[in-house]
Amino acid sequence: QAAGVPVVPGDNGEGGRGFAGAAEAKAAAARIGYPVMLKAAAGGGGRGMRLVDAEDRLEAALGSAQREAKAAFGDDTVYLEKAIVRPRHIEIQVFGDEHGGAVHLHERDCSIQRRNQKVIEESPSPALDDETRARMGEVAVRAARSVGYVGAGTIEMLYDGATRGFYFLEMNTRLQVEHPVTELVTGVDLVRWQLAVAQGEKIPLAQADIPRRGAAIECRVYAEDPVKFLPSPGTISSLRVPAGPGIRDDSGVVAGSVISVHYDPMISKLCAWADSRGAAIDRMRRALGEYHVGGIKTNLAFHRQVMRHGRFIAGDYDTGFIERHKAELVPPGPDDETAALAAIAAAALAARGGGVAPGEGDLPLDLSHTQPSAWRRESQD
């Protein structure tokens, strides 16, 4: 606040130590106005976080948030803030050096989330106009300068599309999972910058010299059930990773790798870059269709559904996108796949002479040349 960074109205409890009980939390919520968000003070990732839309639901939500925060972070301190309805989650990549230099490397839109955890990120955000984008960048740099920040960091913000207002959410004082999106649109090697700055060098580029080219999308590929979003531990029996122009896959696994219950189930970060957002989506669709992971369940089929969804293609989404469109994002089941393949086979027969029976003439028994790869591999994923 002292640095002029806009923040969501909130209450950290007496002395900033959280709430002693439900009565204190209810008083704070009444001052701020419902709906409110309860958040764990000691950590993030959506844990210890509850949306409350009425006073009679606050006490139960507070207890639940505190228990989850205690289990996850060893600290049950919970604070409260005004809930922004249908926000976008926009973050600004910042960098500071020991010489007082600070720049931003544009924004990432991280609004496609499940249980408040990012799943898909892209840059630039389809929600921002140039004026708002510039203001957010200026505020992010101001925040970094106010604490003498050195190294790579991210200023995360909630964006209210109805008012074009934005509010500081948190700062991640590290390089994030989604940093490849920024590297693809700027051409900057952020890890190289980290090493240079850590050795006392100045940031290599001035703000005006940091480019922004095209558009990039990242899909977090998880070992998880694509419907229930629950981890799917096990051994990866086979792995085929996409490649080609504009495709980048940052992975930590190979065939034979074991996805353990003790660690995050992320398999890789699949990224697509192109000179326009539409072309980047097309490339991502193709890459997702070629990606195969055997032996465990993954969310690849879910990502394919998102890349075909009209709201995502239009850039019209917010942090509630998955919950709101869950039924439409459920991957096709075996019956749907069989019907789709039967229709493709019928079309292929018609194209080759109408009455030709399968196995006769020169109709290929392998229809891989005509099947969309997403359908062909759905059951394997």
Side-chain angles (χ1 to χ4, degrees):
Q1 288 175 319
V5 176
V7 298
V8 178
D11 195 311
N12 296 333
E14 186 176 354
R17 296 187 298 271
F19 302 108
E24 186 181 342
K26 287 181 179 179
R31 288 193 300 271
I32 293 170
Y34 289 93
V36 297
M37 189 75 78
L38 295 169
K39 293 186 177 182
R47 289 167 292 184
M49 188 170 173
R50 299 289 186 276
L51 176 65
V52 184
D53 58 7
E55 182 178 303
D56 60 356
R57 298 178 182 175
L58 183 61
E59 185 169 356
L62 177 63
S64 175
Q66 288 175 326
R67 288 190 296 273
E68 188 173 50
K70 182 69 173 179
F73 313 117
D75 185 341
D76 65 359
T77 304
V78 171
Y79 67 97
L80 183 151
E81 68 181 26
K82 178 70 176 176
I84 307 300
V85 179
R86 301 188 69 167
R88 302 284 284 230
H89 186 142
I90 309 291
E91 60 187 29
I92 309 291
Q93 177 72 58
V94 295
F95 230 99
D97 62 30
E98 295 176 358
H99 306 276
V103 298
H104 71 81
L105 293 95
H106 313 304
E107 85 279 3
R108 297 185 290 257
D109 196 320
C110 308
S111 303
I112 304 291
Q113 304 179 1
R114 47 96 171 108
R115 294 194 295 273
N116 302 301
Q117 179 68 39
K118 303 165 190 172
V119 182
I120 297 172
E121 300 95 354
E122 65 173 309
S123 183
S125 168
L128 301 184
D129 56 60
D130 289 341
E131 179 186 350
T132 304
R133 181 175 285 116
R135 286 194 296 121
M136 293 181 83
E138 291 169 2
V139 165
V141 170
R142 191 186 312 147
R145 286 187 187 277
S146 72
V147 294
Y149 191 73
V150 175
T154 304
I155 305 294
E156 301 202 357
M157 302 183 189
L158 289 178
Y159 174 67
D160 186 345
T163 64
R164 294 173 61 199
F166 55 87
Y167 307 92
F168 176 82
L169 182 63
E170 66 179 4
M171 183 178 189
N172 285 305
T173 54
R174 55 181 168 80
L175 201 63
Q176 289 190 267
V177 171
E178 57 271 27
H179 79 272
V181 168
T182 295
E183 292 189 333
L184 288 170
V185 297
T186 62
V188 169
D189 184 336
L190 293 176
V191 176
R192 187 182 183 91
W193 274 29
Q194 281 187 304
L195 295 171
V197 166
Q199 296 178 92
E201 298 179 22
K202 292 183 177 180
I203 296 171
L205 295 175
Q207 186 67 66
D209 298 327
I210 296 173
R212 186 178 69 205
R213 56 196 184 95
I217 302 170
E218 176 179 293
C219 291
R220 299 190 185 192
V221 181
Y222 284 105
E224 67 179 14
D225 185 297
V227 178
K228 299 178 181 178
F229 297 120
L230 295 175
S232 175
T235 301
I236 296 177
S237 60
S238 58
L239 181 66
R240 183 170 59 250
V241 178
I247 300 300
R248 167 176 169 174
D249 186 66
D250 289 13
S251 177
V253 301
V254 295
S257 291
V258 176
I259 304 300
S260 168
V261 297
H262 302 296
Y263 302 99
D264 188 276
M266 183 182 292
I267 294 172
S268 78
K269 303 177 292 183
L270 178 63
C271 304
W273 175 91
D275 57 5
S276 69
R277 184 174 184 268
I281 293 174
D282 287 342
R283 280 182 171 172
M284 181 60 82
R285 283 200 202 105
R286 190 265 300 168
L288 288 166
E290 294 176 358
Y291 211 134
H292 163 75
V293 182
I296 57 173
K297 292 181 179 180
T298 75
N299 65 342
L300 285 167
F302 161 80
H303 283 303
R304 293 175 190 136
Q305 294 295 95
V306 174
M307 292 299 134
R308 292 194 287 260
H309 197 281
R311 292 286 188 183
F312 179 79
I313 293 170
D316 180 18
Y317 60 84
D318 54 60
T319 56
F321 172 82
I322 291 179
E323 189 62 32
R324 197 174 301 116
H325 300 287
K326 187 179 293 184
E328 304 157 45
L329 300 175
V330 173
D335 291 341
D336 299 319
E337 182 178 359
T338 301
L341 297 181
I344 293 170
L349 284 169
R352 302 301 278 275
V356 181
E360 296 181 6
D362 59 354
L363 175 69
L365 295 178
D366 177 7
L367 296 176
S368 61
H369 298 292
T370 56
Q371 296 176 43
S373 55
W375 290 337
R376 186 167 67 251
R377 301 191 180 104
E378 201 78 57
S379 61
Q380 296 173 339
D381 294 331

